[in-house]
Amino acid sequence: MSSCKLQWLIGALYTLLVVCIGIATVIEKYQGTPFVSEHIYGAWWFAGLWAMLTVTACLYMWHRQLYRRFAVMLLHVALVVILAGALATWLSARRGTVSLRVGQTQTAYSDTKGERQQFPFALELREFRVVNYPGTDVALDYQSVIRVSQGKETGQEVMVSMNHIGSVGGYRLYQSSYDSDGQGVSLGVSYDPYGIAVTYCGYLLLLMGIMATLLSRKTQMRALYRKAMQPLAVGVLLLASVDSRGAELQAVDRDIAAKLGTVSVLYNDRICPLNTVATDFLTKLSGRASWNGYTADEVFVSWMIYYSPWEQQRLIRIKDKEVQRLLGIDGQWASYSDFLDEYHEYKLKDALEQMRAGKGRIARKALMEADEKFNVVEMFYRGQMLRMFPYELDGQVNWYSPGGQALPREIPVKEQFFIKQAMDYLTESIVTGQRERAYELIAKIKLFQRDMIGELLPSERLTLAELWYNRLSAPRWPVFLTLTLSLLLCLLVSASGGQSRSRGLRAASTVYVGLLAAWLTMLLAMRWLISGHVPVSNGFETMQFMAWAVLVMTLLMRHKFPVMMGFGPLVAGFCLLVAMLSGSSPQITPLMPVLASPLLSVHVMTVMCAYALFALQVLLGIQGLYQSHRGRTAELQRTTALSQLLLYPAVFLLAIGIFLGAVWANVSWGSYWSWDPKESWALITLMVYAVPLHKGSIGRFERPRFYHCYMVMAFLTVMATYFGVNYLLGGMHSYA
């Protein structure tokens, strides 16, 4: 078969696989994972497509004598080995589950078809325990101690926990679930004697191929680098913000409120200062961390004490006009009392019932947002935001709210009295103006906490760090200021024809980007310090990290590629805007046990760096299309060369991120690839962006206009991977 026919067949098979994987993720949404696992991912025809693509690609590589280019050949051989490992897993691996109870022996497991399969050994659950985050009842880890015996011999004990697989005779056991009484567990079982080893060899070869390609003198990267070295012109877009103030209102003394804000509470399953709760409370209601000149601490504590007048304050933002009509308000701002009619009935009750029944004409999202804000205040009144009195019983720390709720009898009378009365005394001191007594009572609450759980409380250093973090991260105006200044910088760079023509502009832009990077570095470092883990565990954190990565890349590349000083800050600004507006939660929460792995952090950071480069290529693509339209051939060639140069590290970073994610999944739940929607779309993104790297075989990519159009459209796969899966398709990765 000729090279031309082989190339056509490869393109057809490649496209068919991408389309099939994309369709499968949509079908999974409606038909469920078992359906697509059986009829698509596990079907003979799907494996056949991959096999045909691999064989055809190998023939094409031989025809093109790719073996003469070691680095490129190594990359493609690595992909073949990875696919061979996947085939070995598909043909020989066995999976299932085994249920164990303490003291009972089990010699078989149930496979995916529900049939019993025998182990060559016996398993006995010796102990199961849940390890909590210090001072809370939130799970940090699930641990099963299992005794393995074979014949008359009693083997050693094996520990199985989250992110720690138990390996016994080639079988891999991983934590799946546990019984409600804590006396039994369900473990996942995986037996893959060949696939994992072959696939890991492929990953190693891929890493070697990437390094060889980056260092080789025979690849296109050096030629692209030389083309892209000269300055470019740029051009692009964006906007601003609002504020509102009102009349003065009776409130708690600001210093007393701030002092109470340093008291520790249990909130979002972690121990944090009350200021974090107050900031979250006010931000959820009004969208801001302050209101009418009052700090979050003042609003929270004042509402707690002078609740009646604060219920009348219009500080709850309602954007939807239909919801405004139901509440009977004129404009965007409502008070808590606006949600209740004259009979103290909830005004949105009927609309919510109609929505749940599939009726009604008010947008579901708008109605749910308004209902959530009302329930935030209800939670506040129920004391769920003020769990500030810890007490340890039977090794378990429980946190109690102030007031008259029933307390366990095991708590001594003296401590019960303090829990129930301390806040009443504090309220009395504040209302009667006894400042010193108020400070003394706050100090006594802190002392009570220290006596009860001692070193489990955050240190003063951590508390101070969180207070500063809340103060710096809560306001929205820095994001809009960043976008405005970044757009202005982009226009100035465009007007100057590139920064190299203006030393003043070059110096000013470097200072601006440096300050912005330092600000984000400080926020991420403080969040890392407060949470105890790398801040890449949810959508808010990953978008902030992506903004930081873009700025760091911009600073590193500013001398060689001055155009980056125009594009980089703008991309970072959009990332911060998405983090702020996308609905991702900025709250700091403990990690789920399965996410508490360093591999996950490196995996996410690597992938987000790749996405950052892809985002920069979109702006370069828009710039390239503009230059093509204006007939600026020389500038178009340099823009295209820079975009193609960035494509190599972007694709390589994504590939590394994907196989790091596979290793993490293998360590966490015993399978390096499960065709989860996020995995599938990450693979689609990799396959789509890998195509332009083959411009020597696909002539159309030699045309700058076609190349830039493709790169702009290719970013849709990144959007689908990050946002589409998170908010539409779901799956195991939808937390991020």
Side-chain angles (χ1 to χ4, degrees):
M1 188 180 292
S2 66
S3 295
C4 185
K5 290 182 178 179
L6 284 172
Q7 184 179 342
W8 182 88
L9 183 57
I10 290 171
L13 291 170
Y14 196 87
T15 304
L16 184 58
L17 277 168
V18 169
V19 172
C20 284
I21 296 170
I23 292 175
T25 61
V26 178
I27 294 175
E28 183 176 356
K29 170 74 174 179
Y30 299 99
Q31 297 295 326
T33 301
F35 181 87
V36 292
S37 296
E38 179 181 355
H39 294 91
I40 300 180
Y41 299 133
W44 62 267
W45 61 266
F46 189 72
L49 284 177
W50 281 108
M52 290 174 61
L53 176 63
T54 304
V55 172
T56 308
C58 288
L59 289 173
Y60 182 75
M61 287 188 290
W62 180 263
H63 270 268
R64 294 295 301 265
Q65 298 183 342
L66 204 63
Y67 50 81
R68 295 179 180 273
R69 300 163 61 192
F70 174 76
V72 179
M73 185 67 181
L74 189 58
L75 276 176
H76 290 80
V77 168
L79 297 175
V80 172
V81 174
I82 290 172
L83 289 173
L87 179 62
T89 296
W90 187 65
L91 293 174
S92 63
R94 299 198 296 271
R95 291 191 177 86
T97 58
V98 59
S99 296
L100 302 175
R101 295 285 296 178
V102 173
Q104 297 180 2
T105 301
Q106 183 61 265
T107 60
Y109 67 96
S110 297
D111 63 16
T112 54
K113 297 180 180 179
E115 299 176 356
R116 284 178 62 82
Q117 303 290 340
Q118 290 294 318
F119 284 124
F121 44 76
L123 301 176
E124 178 190 355
L125 179 63
R126 302 289 295 168
E127 181 186 3
F128 172 75
R129 52 181 176 258
V130 179
V131 180
N132 293 331
Y133 281 94
T136 75
D137 56 359
V138 182
L140 171 64
D141 200 3
Y142 306 111
Q143 298 177 348
S144 300
V145 180
I146 299 169
R147 177 176 290 173
V148 182
S149 56
Q150 195 163 9
K152 296 182 179 181
E153 298 181 3
T154 300
Q156 62 182 17
E157 291 186 343
V158 175
M159 170 72 76
V160 179
S161 63
M162 304 308 298
N163 297 309
H164 184 272
I165 298 291
S167 183
V168 182
Y171 288 83
R172 306 171 75 241
L173 308 174
Y174 51 97
Q175 195 72 43
S176 180
S177 62
Y178 63 93
D179 298 346
S180 58
D181 62 0
Q183 298 298 301
V185 297
S186 291
L187 301 179
V189 179
S190 174
Y191 181 72
D192 189 0
Y194 311 112
I196 293 176
V198 175
T199 302
Y200 277 22
C201 286
Y203 292 160
L204 181 60
L205 289 174
L206 182 62
L207 182 60
M208 293 169 59
I210 288 173
M211 297 302 296
T213 302
L214 293 173
L215 298 174
S216 175
R217 295 175 178 272
K218 297 183 179 181
T219 61
Q220 300 179 32
M221 291 189 65
R222 291 181 180 271
L224 292 171
Y225 176 79
R226 286 191 292 269
K227 275 188 179 182
M229 280 293 292
Q230 299 181 24
L232 301 170
V234 292
V236 203
L237 29 116
L238 200 56
L239 39 126
S241 149
V242 293
D243 192 19
S244 66
R245 296 181 64 87
E248 188 160 343
L249 177 70
Q250 184 179 13
V252 171
D253 180 89
R254 176 169 293 194
D255 292 336
I256 293 177
K259 194 68 175 178
L260 188 57
T262 64
V263 173
S264 295
V265 295
L266 185 70
Y267 179 67
N268 277 337
D269 295 328
R270 73 182 188 91
I271 304 172
C272 64
L274 183 61
N275 172 261
T276 298
V277 183
T279 303
D280 191 33
F281 173 77
L282 185 55
T283 303
K284 282 182 175 179
L285 295 183
S286 67
R288 302 170 189 152
S290 62
W291 177 80
N292 273 21
Y294 295 107
T295 65
D297 290 326
E298 286 179 283
V299 172
F300 189 86
V301 180
S302 299
W303 196 325
M304 184 170 59
I305 295 175
Y306 308 110
Y307 58 88
S308 184
W310 278 91
E311 287 180 351
Q312 311 302 318
Q313 300 308 305
R314 295 198 161 182
L315 52 74
I316 304 175
R317 190 175 187 186
I318 304 296
K319 300 178 183 178
D320 187 81
K321 292 188 179 298
E322 285 298 315
V323 178
Q324 293 172 12
R325 182 184 60 79
L326 282 180
L327 296 179
I329 60 175
D330 183 18
Q332 294 189 8
W333 297 96
S335 67
Y336 172 76
S337 60
D338 287 328
F339 284 80
L340 305 172
D341 62 19
E342 62 219 63
Y343 304 106
H344 214 70
E345 291 289 330
Y346 186 33
K347 291 182 181 179
L348 302 183
K349 180 181 178 182
D350 292 340
L352 287 166
E353 289 178 353
Q354 290 179 1
M355 181 198 71
R356 295 183 183 112
K359 303 175 183 178
R361 57 191 181 87
I362 300 179
R364 178 185 179 90
K365 182 179 179 182
L367 198 56
M368 294 296 289
E369 283 181 355
D371 182 59
E372 180 188 12
K373 294 183 178 188
F374 175 79
N375 281 295
V376 165
V377 183
E378 291 293 293
M379 289 171 58
F380 168 73
Y381 281 142
R382 290 194 295 268
Q384 292 173 249
M385 292 184 168
L386 209 62
R387 298 167 66 188
M388 64 165 54
F389 298 103
Y391 198 88
E392 185 173 357
L393 287 173
D394 300 324
Q396 179 70 44
V397 176
N398 294 305
W399 289 74
Y400 302 99
S401 302
Q405 81 276 20
L407 297 173
R409 293 181 179 179
E410 294 83 356
I411 299 179
V413 174
K414 181 181 177 181
E415 279 75 15
Q416 288 208 29
F417 181 81
F418 187 83
I419 293 172
K420 292 181 179 181
Q421 300 297 325
M423 285 301 293
D424 290 340
Y425 290 144
L426 178 59
T427 299
E428 179 187 346
S429 301
I430 292 173
V431 171
T432 57
Q434 301 179 62
R435 291 171 56 89
E436 294 305 319
R437 185 166 181 256
Y439 288 130
E440 182 182 344
L441 285 165
I442 293 172
K444 285 184 176 180
I445 292 173
K446 289 186 174 183
L447 182 61
F448 176 88
Q449 294 179 335
R450 190 67 59 186
D451 289 342
M452 292 301 106
I453 59 173
E455 295 181 357
L456 294 179
L457 290 172
S459 65
E460 290 187 11
R461 180 175 63 93
L462 278 178
T463 300
L464 183 62
E466 186 154 356
L467 294 174
W468 273 104
Y469 177 80
N470 293 338
R471 189 175 302 174
L472 293 172
S473 64
R476 293 188 168 195
W477 64 264
V479 176
F480 292 108
L481 179 62
T482 297
L483 278 169
T484 303
L485 293 178
S486 298
L487 176 59
L488 178 61
L489 176 61
C490 209
L491 295 175
L492 288 174
V493 172
S494 177
S496 68
Q499 292 175 321
S500 59
R501 297 185 183 181
S502 171
R503 291 185 179 180
L505 177 59
R506 185 165 61 246
S509 60
T510 300
V511 170
Y512 167 65
V513 176
L515 289 174
L516 190 56
W519 174 61
L520 268 178
T521 301
M522 181 176 61
L523 288 181
L524 289 171
M526 292 174 73
R527 194 174 179 96
W528 188 345
L529 176 67
I530 295 164
S531 65
H533 60 79
V534 182
V536 289
S537 62
N538 57 41
F540 177 83
E541 292 178 346
T542 52
M543 291 310 296
Q544 279 204 332
F545 177 82
M546 183 171 169
W548 177 83
V550 169
L551 293 172
V552 171
M553 292 177 192
T554 300
L555 289 173
L556 293 175
M557 301 169 69
R558 71 187 188 281
H559 292 303
K560 301 294 184 182
F561 308 109
V563 68
M564 297 296 292
M565 297 300 288
F567 285 146
L570 195 59
V571 172
F574 278 119
C575 290
L576 294 174
L577 183 67
V578 170
M580 185 180 73
L581 300 179
S582 67
S584 304
S585 174
Q587 300 167 13
I588 299 174
T589 58
L591 283 179
M592 297 165 53
V594 73
L595 303 183
S597 168
L599 274 175
L600 173 64
S601 301
V602 180
H603 155 67
V604 174
M605 289 189 291
T606 306
V607 170
M608 294 311 296
C609 286
Y611 290 170
L613 289 172
F614 291 145
L616 287 170
Q617 286 180 296
V618 171
L619 294 183
L620 287 171
I622 295 172
Q623 176 70 10
L625 292 173
Y626 173 77
Q627 291 169 342
S628 175
H629 176 71
R630 302 290 292 181
R632 299 176 180 175
T633 306
E635 293 179 359
L636 176 61
Q637 289 180 347
R638 291 192 292 271
T639 303
T640 305
L642 177 56
S643 178
Q644 291 171 341
L645 180 65
L646 294 178
L647 183 61
Y648 282 87
V651 171
F652 292 163
L653 283 170
L654 182 58
I656 292 171
I658 288 175
F659 78 66
L660 283 175
V663 174
W664 166 63
N666 196 35
V667 171
S668 297
W669 47 68
S671 174
Y672 61 86
W673 194 265
S674 57
W675 291 108
D676 179 76
K678 179 77 84 172
E679 296 174 351
S680 300
W681 274 99
L683 178 60
I684 289 173
T685 302
L686 180 64
M687 294 176 72
V688 167
Y689 274 100
V691 172
L693 292 178
H694 299 79
K695 66 174 186 174
S697 302
I698 307 174
R700 288 187 178 182
F701 286 105
E702 297 286 357
R703 307 172 193 168
R705 182 190 290 267
F706 179 85
Y707 169 80
H708 288 302
C709 283
Y710 184 93
M711 296 306 294
V712 171
M713 297 301 295
F715 196 70
L716 293 175
T717 62
V718 176
M719 301 291 286
T721 305
Y722 191 83
F723 296 105
V725 173
N726 287 356
Y727 303 112
L728 298 176
L729 298 179
M732 291 184 292
H733 291 72
S734 60
Y735 51 80

